Amino acid sequence: MAALESFLESSVRTATPLLLAGLGEVVVERAGIINIGLEGLVIAGAFGALVGATHQGLGAGFAVAIAAGVGLAILFYVFVDLLGTDQIVTGTAVTILALGATGAMYRSWFGSTGAALSIETSAPLMVPVLSSIPVIGAALFHQPITTYLCYVLVPATWWWMYRTHAGLALRAIGESPNAALVSGIPLSRYRFTALCFGGALAGLAGATLVLAQVGTFAEGMSAGRGFIAIAVVVLGRWNPAGVAVAALVFGAATALQFWIQALGLRIPYQVVLAIPYALTLAGLAGIAGRVSAPAALGRPLTRDLSS
Amino acid sequence: MTFFGVSRLQRFPRGQIVAVIAGATALALVFFAIAGTNAGAAAAAMVNGAVGTPYAFFSGTLVRAVPLILTGLAVAWAFSAGIFNIGVEGQFVVGAAAATAAALALPFDGMLALLICLIAGSIAGAGWAGIAAWLKLRFSVLEVISTIMLNFIALQLLAYLVHGPLGDPKGIYPQSPPLSPETWMPKLIPGTRLHVGFAIAVVACAWGWYVRTRTAAGFRLRLVGANPAAAWIAGGVSVQRVTTTAFLVSGAIAGLAGAIEVTGVTYALYESISPGYGYTAIAVALLANLNPAAVVVSGIGFGALEAGAAAMQRDAGVPAVLASVIEAAIILVLATTRMRPGRASPAPVADALAESA
């Protein structure tokens, strides 16, 4: 029972950054944009959290992380929507840029030995009463503050997307930018804002890694979480609630390695680490034909508007 | 409706200029933020390490260029058909692993063994790309996402192999036993580290250029990449066959690159066999405008950049990962002029596939 409890607790903990990044990416993709640079936004957020927390403490850590994510998202917006570059190529460049820049800055500012081990971290907050529920109590109510933020953001994003005019406008842009435009929706403003929202949450995802999970920064510590978050969005069928479920499945798949170690099973460590990625492929194949992406996803604006 | 003073209805007229200036400024800022007062020494160390001496050029830059030329060709080939193969990194890794496995398993060594290693690497790379190609064909899974996932699986596979089945039982590090020197790639220029793999890379690019520009298959490749719907409707081209073949060829070239790296440079398999060649390859291919002949030149250019960056870290203490920042800036700037929307975007491929299915 204790093993199960700690498995569930680490599932939710591992799922939190994926859910944050995925939730932002849902909004972005519903506006017809696929931001492969998400991986770069997460590592930028992680490094921002380190810088902020080193100099000004926890609050600054989160703030700088958000700023870093938003900054890169704006860079992506400028290239994709204003300069008309390809989304996949631009996203790849943003990821390479962020991984390279954070690595170089980390080495030259903190030394190659990694001096910043003494930053203030965000300890898990225990919710009274609720956290003592058997089995799931600790998993759901003994988590860092960003997990609780997810509890608010998932329903709020869902409600905004499906129950407000603005949410409808966003989804319209993702399906047909032309139609959205001629019905008077300020398309650029929506896409810009969506990307900023996605950037802020990706930054928070990185901050969660540094401030609430690992306690320090390491080069490339995002370790593909941004890419998995993109897969989570697809598996969650472009719906905030679905994304929450998909992120939890991923968290559980990753947490499985601790459980397997605890049970003493002789499965190679690397096989377990590969499970989330294999699961993504299986999931993507499994939903084929039953889910459709936003119709304009990944398409350049200029082509749609000129055709 | 305008935003930031730019009408979204018209293409940003001075886009390229703005991008170049913004990119150069950002680069300079990042460079000085990292190198600080050391910037001059760092730049000098970089140039010296890349082209300063004949040894630096032949044993540093050109040796480094071999995997970049081949993986760049792999990316260019797939992108030409409108296939976003982001998985060259993984295909490189499985190619390297398969070549190592073949070399260790074969009861003999020498040039025939080397040839078998290279073939094994190519087949493994094509097979790894084949998974993504099959997922795309059968389930319409976006290759962008599937190839990224396969990259991570390949890295775990590599880690498993060097810790387990392919690991050196006598060694203390997680790496394979060294390959027999009889199976090593011969040197191209005696006295340098430059190996025959460079010639193979150049021949592969020449072959790619010939097929792409001088054969019917190459014409179909470019046609499908430019406009799959027209290729199918007006040209009667089987879009699926062309894109799937291009995907497999791309993977085979990437796998060959991995096999050449193991037999020509490292002589053993270990976890960090690729410092991200598959991602740099995207910059190599874009700088070459997807033209296989130009890939040779841009591959050497990026080889110089990476060899120079390594020297900069060694001699001036400025982190070599700075090269990634420069690569990213190059991709961003080129993206504003190359790979124009509508020329090879994946969306029309999906349309045409739906129609031809």
Side-chain angles (χ1 to χ4, degrees):
Chain A
M1 190 56 91
L4 177 65
E5 241 174 74
S6 82
F7 166 68
L8 290 175
E9 194 260 320
S10 59
S11 297
V12 175
R13 193 180 57 227
T14 320
T16 301
L18 298 178
L19 177 50
L20 283 168
L23 202 56
E25 181 70 8
V26 160
V27 174
V28 170
E29 294 199 10
R30 281 294 193 157
I33 301 166
I34 181 161
N35 187 0
I36 295 280
L38 195 57
E39 174 76 6
L41 271 55
V42 172
I43 192 76
F47 187 69
L50 173 76
V51 172
T54 303
H55 291 104
Q56 294 291 331
L58 207 54
F62 282 112
V64 177
I66 292 173
V70 172
L72 273 182
I74 292 175
L75 177 79
F76 183 88
Y77 172 83
V78 167
F79 273 89
V80 164
D81 267 14
L82 299 187
L83 302 176
T85 58
D86 181 86
Q87 295 181 11
I88 302 295
V89 171
T90 310
T92 309
V94 166
T95 295
I96 295 175
L97 175 73
L99 284 172
T102 55
M105 285 190 272
Y106 178 64
R107 284 192 196 191
S108 58
W109 293 355
F110 294 92
S112 52
T113 48
L117 291 165
S118 55
I119 53 167
E120 193 186 342
T121 54
S122 167
L125 303 173
M126 185 133 23
V127 179
V129 186
L130 289 175
S131 62
S132 54
I133 301 172
V135 187
I136 60 162
L140 294 178
F141 300 107
H142 186 211
Q143 294 285 353
I145 188 159
T146 45
T147 304
Y148 301 121
L149 181 67
C150 289
Y151 297 169
V152 178
L153 276 177
V154 171
T157 310
W158 183 89
W159 182 83
W160 180 83
M161 200 178 268
Y162 292 102
R163 291 290 182 273
T164 68
H165 283 290
L168 180 64
L170 180 88
R171 288 183 287 133
I173 292 169
E175 297 301 329
S176 170
N178 273 337
L181 190 62
V182 291
S183 45
I185 294 170
L187 180 140
S188 297
R189 197 183 300 161
Y190 269 93
R191 282 166 70 106
F192 178 79
T193 313
L195 271 169
C196 288
F197 177 74
L201 287 196
L204 268 183
T208 304
L209 286 178
V210 169
L211 300 177
Q213 293 186 359
V214 183
T216 186
F217 178 87
E219 280 184 69
M221 74 180 297
S222 49
R225 285 183 182 81
F227 293 128
I228 290 191
I230 290 168
V232 158
V233 170
V234 180
L235 292 177
R237 305 178 175 206
W238 290 277
N239 177 323
V243 166
V245 174
L248 269 177
V249 170
F250 268 98
T254 312
L256 207 57
Q257 56 178 296
F258 307 117
W259 204 15
I260 284 176
Q261 278 171 1
L263 293 176
L265 296 178
R266 292 183 57 83
I267 299 173
Y269 180 67
Q270 295 86 8
V271 172
V272 182
L273 284 182
I275 287 176
Y277 307 107
L279 200 70
T280 307
L281 291 178
L284 291 174
I287 62 167
R290 288 191 281 129
V291 194
S292 52
L297 187 65
R299 291 178 186 238
L301 271 189
T302 42
R303 213 187 96 236
D304 277 306
L305 293 174
S306 61
S307 62
Chain B
M1 182 65 216
T2 59
F3 197 61
F4 283 162
V6 179
S7 167
R8 68 185 169 274
L9 284 170
Q10 61 179 151
R11 178 163 290 158
F12 199 57
R14 290 173 297 278
Q16 285 92 306
I17 302 164
V18 170
V20 170
I21 293 171
T25 312
L27 261 185
L29 284 176
V30 171
F31 188 76
F32 280 102
I34 292 163
T37 51
N38 210 4
M46 192 163 185
V47 172
N48 200 37
V51 293
T53 61
Y55 185 81
F57 183 68
F58 288 108
S59 297
T61 293
L62 287 190
V63 170
R64 190 81 176 188
V66 173
L68 291 174
I69 292 171
L70 282 169
T71 52
L73 177 65
V75 169
W77 201 258
F79 277 30
S80 290
I83 293 285
F84 275 99
N85 182 8
I86 312 290
V88 167
E89 179 78 3
Q91 292 142 22
F92 178 95
V93 164
V94 294
T100 310
L104 297 178
L106 285 172
F108 54 92
D109 46 25
M111 287 306 103
L112 181 63
L114 172 62
L115 187 66
I116 292 172
C117 289
L118 298 186
I119 293 170
S122 307
I123 292 173
W128 205 250
I131 299 173
W134 176 73
L135 285 170
K136 184 181 175 69
L137 212 57
R138 177 70 181 77
F139 300 105
S140 313
V141 175
L142 283 178
E143 74 274 16
V144 170
I145 295 174
S146 62
T147 52
I148 289 172
M149 295 303 134
L150 285 165
N151 285 348
F152 286 105
I153 296 175
L155 288 177
Q156 295 303 335
L157 178 69
L158 174 64
Y160 167 70
L161 287 175
V162 297
H163 281 99
L166 288 183
D168 186 354
K170 286 178 296 205
I172 47 166
Y173 298 108
Q175 62 180 52
S176 76
L179 269 54
S180 156
E182 301 296 310
T183 310
W184 291 0
M185 188 77 73
K187 291 283 175 283
L188 193 62
I189 302 175
T192 70
R193 292 175 59 226
L194 191 64
H195 53 85
V196 173
F198 182 74
I200 297 176
V202 172
V203 170
C205 286
W207 166 83
W209 173 84
Y210 176 79
V211 171
R212 192 172 183 271
T213 57
R214 296 287 184 274
T215 68
F219 178 72
R220 284 194 292 271
L221 180 84
R222 286 178 290 135
L223 186 62
V224 166
N227 193 333
W232 163 242
I233 296 162
V237 175
S238 168
V239 172
Q240 285 191 344
R241 185 178 301 163
V242 170
T243 53
T244 305
T245 308
F247 214 152
L248 295 179
V249 169
S250 174
I253 299 169
L256 176 66
I260 289 177
E261 189 71 0
V262 164
T263 54
V265 179
T266 65
Y267 307 134
L269 186 70
Y270 47 85
E271 277 184 87
S272 55
I273 186 86
S274 169
Y277 289 132
Y279 301 109
T280 307
I282 296 168
V284 172
L286 288 179
L287 184 60
N289 201 16
L290 310 186
N291 177 348
V295 161
V296 176
V297 181
S298 72
I300 293 173
F302 279 95
L305 176 66
E306 295 203 341
M312 180 177 75
Q313 176 160 321
R314 199 172 53 236
D315 300 339
V318 176
V321 275
L322 199 58
S324 305
V325 178
I326 298 172
E327 280 160 21
I330 291 172
I331 298 178
L332 282 176
V333 169
L334 291 174
T336 63
T337 55
R338 314 260 201 265
M339 290 295 289
R340 269 279 176 222
R343 252 185 57 194
S345 75
V349 179
D351 289 349
L353 286 179
E355 284 165 35
S356 63

